[in-house]
Amino acid sequence: MGVESATVNAPQPRVSVLMAVYNEPAARLRQAIESLSAQTFRDWTCELIDDGTESRETLSVIEQAVALEPRLRWHREPHQGLTGSLNRGLELCSGEFVARHDTDDWSEPDRFERQEAFLDAHPEGVVGSSIWLHREDGTPLWVQNHPAAVMEAFPRMNPFCHGATMFRLSMAREVGGYRQE
């Protein structure tokens, strides 16, 4: 059973990881959570928004992970879809930065460390990275690079892979979070 674990006097993490879960296959979810625990940057908590999961297998993985990783904060919510879950998660995040991490993602161990350092040096508000695309079984396919000229790319495309971004929480809240459209 999920419990909101925010404590009034608890120190705030530097990075809040935002992950929405809905009936994710166990192996993929387990791999995503393990890649969080393997991060070299340790000052993070994860707001794991359970979007009304019905899968007993998914719930079991979450229960086990929460028991093993104290930085995971499990929030059971009624099913509202990804956008609603992410907006609920932004309400719960308390770190200066938010790292998005989807349930089918796994991050390199130094991802948070590198992105946090970049945002410390650049006030622009968001950072992303190139990504490896994989088959369902984990076999690597190719690297997807994103344009270096991010601002010029926006009119044509979204230059970020959402699950590889980190951004300033204050700026996300300032623009009203994720658009429902």
Side-chain angles (χ1 to χ4, degrees):
M1 171 177 298
V3 176
E4 290 194 28
S5 59
T7 305
V8 174
N9 296 323
Q12 301 305 311
R14 186 78 199 275
V15 173
S16 291
V17 180
L18 178 53
M19 181 187 297
V21 178
Y22 180 70
N23 295 333
E24 188 66 34
R28 259 199 322 230
L29 179 57
R30 196 173 291 113
Q31 185 175 27
I33 292 170
E34 287 171 358
S35 85
L36 294 177
S37 295
Q39 290 297 305
T40 56
F41 182 86
R42 308 299 293 165
D43 189 12
W44 61 266
T45 57
C46 177
E47 305 302 337
L48 197 149
I49 311 302
D50 177 0
D51 187 26
T53 291
E54 300 161 348
S55 164
R56 187 66 220 142
E57 183 180 64
T58 302
L59 292 171
S60 178
V61 170
I62 295 170
E63 289 167 351
Q64 292 168 16
V66 167
L68 294 172
E69 176 55 76
R71 292 171 292 183
L72 290 178
R73 298 175 180 172
W74 180 18
H75 309 277
R76 299 224 43 203
E77 300 286 335
H79 184 62
Q80 56 186 332
L82 180 60
T83 303
S85 294
L86 293 178
N87 281 327
R88 174 67 177 132
L90 285 177
E91 293 172 7
L92 296 166
C93 287
S94 59
E96 180 179 354
F97 304 122
V98 175
R100 276 289 291 118
H101 193 80
D102 288 320
T103 55
D104 62 346
D105 293 337
W106 62 93
S107 293
E108 293 294 325
D110 63 346
R111 174 193 163 196
F112 294 171
E113 183 177 347
R114 293 176 68 192
Q115 289 183 327
E116 183 264 352
F118 181 88
L119 287 174
D120 270 346
H122 299 86
E124 290 84 4
V126 65
V127 63
S129 70
S130 297
I131 59 169
W132 269 101
L133 296 173
H134 294 81
R135 291 194 172 154
E136 189 80 18
D137 67 1
T139 304
L141 294 172
W142 61 82
V143 172
Q144 182 175 336
N145 291 308
H146 296 281
V150 171
M151 294 310 291
E152 290 82 22
F154 269 122
R156 299 184 318 279
M157 64 179 283
N158 176 0
F160 294 105
C161 170
H162 197 207
T165 60
M166 184 180 286
F167 50 87
R168 294 182 188 283
L169 177 60
S170 61
M171 290 182 173
R173 288 180 174 164
E174 187 178 303
V175 298
Y178 291 92
R179 290 182 304 162
Q180 288 292 342
E181 305 78 48

